[in-house]
Amino acid sequence: MRVSVIGGSSIDDSEARIAEAVGRELADRGHTVVCGGLGGTMAAVCRGARTADDPAETIGILPGNRRSAANRFVTVPIATGIGHARNALVVQNGDAVIALAGGAGTLSEIGMAAAYDRPIVGLGTHDCDGIDALDRFEAVETPAEAVAAVEEETRRMAVDEAVLDDAAVDEASIDDDRS
């Protein structure tokens, strides 16, 4: 599974340790990291993913025109040249989103994740309780809980989609029988 990890470009040591732990946890569970590819949370989560016992792929969706701008832990840099608009691409390229501490860019990505119907798990990020549009947002306390929560919600969504697909096939069969 691809998991988009979003967070601030300027973070303190504690936030960096959390982001790195999220990256390690994702790698240990066999997931690919998607992020904005630059510094702060993005570098820390990629560092965690790449220095894990079984390193994970890390995809950096960059705001500028140069792939070389990616942090050194990004294995697949993607230059977009579209600035902050790349936030939508960060979210769209993950099956789920883990939101860490950040500012307005992180908040915009949380909103986009809701618009694109991605499961969103928050760990030390914005307080999103009570925002109806963020009904798929779950706050957790640890990196392990964050990864477990996105795995569970992604599984649940896959089951729901399979049930809907089966219902559509059954309905189509009924329509064919009537013809």
Side-chain angles (χ1 to χ4, degrees):
M1 170 171 63
R2 285 184 179 184
V3 179
S4 298
V5 181
I6 59 176
S9 58
S10 295
I11 58 174
D12 63 29
D13 290 343
S14 174
E15 292 164 339
R17 282 190 298 277
I18 291 168
E20 194 167 336
V22 167
R24 270 193 310 278
E25 190 72 28
L26 287 165
D28 288 344
R29 294 179 184 222
H31 303 302
T32 297
V33 170
V34 178
C35 70
L38 298 175
T41 296
M42 300 164 278
V45 73
C46 289
R47 181 174 51 248
R50 294 303 299 159
T51 59
D53 290 338
D54 187 13
E57 290 296 317
T58 55
I59 300 169
I61 312 286
L62 301 161
N65 295 322
R66 295 184 356 236
R67 290 189 312 265
S68 62
N71 73 66
R72 67 188 181 105
F73 301 102
V74 169
T75 58
V76 181
I78 299 172
T80 66
I82 60 174
H84 288 289
R86 72 74 149 81
N87 290 359
L89 300 175
V90 171
V91 170
Q92 286 181 324
N93 281 282
D95 300 303
V97 174
I98 296 176
L100 303 178
T106 304
L107 189 55
S108 77
E109 289 168 317
I110 291 170
M112 287 179 204
Y116 296 127
D117 201 29
R118 298 297 195 269
I120 313 160
V121 173
L123 175 60
T125 193
H126 302 275
D127 180 6
C128 296
D129 288 340
I131 301 173
D132 292 340
L134 295 176
D135 61 341
R136 298 195 95 129
F137 184 93
E138 178 181 349
V140 297
E141 298 293 323
T142 69
E145 289 174 339
V147 176
V150 295
E151 288 173 334
E152 178 57 34
E153 183 60 17
T154 303
R155 269 193 295 276
R156 190 190 67 68
M157 285 178 65
V159 168
D160 289 350
E161 287 176 19
V163 168
L164 289 174
D165 288 347
D166 287 347
V169 168
D170 289 345
E171 189 172 309
S173 295
I174 291 169
D175 289 342
D176 287 345
D177 290 345
R178 291 181 190 161
S179 299

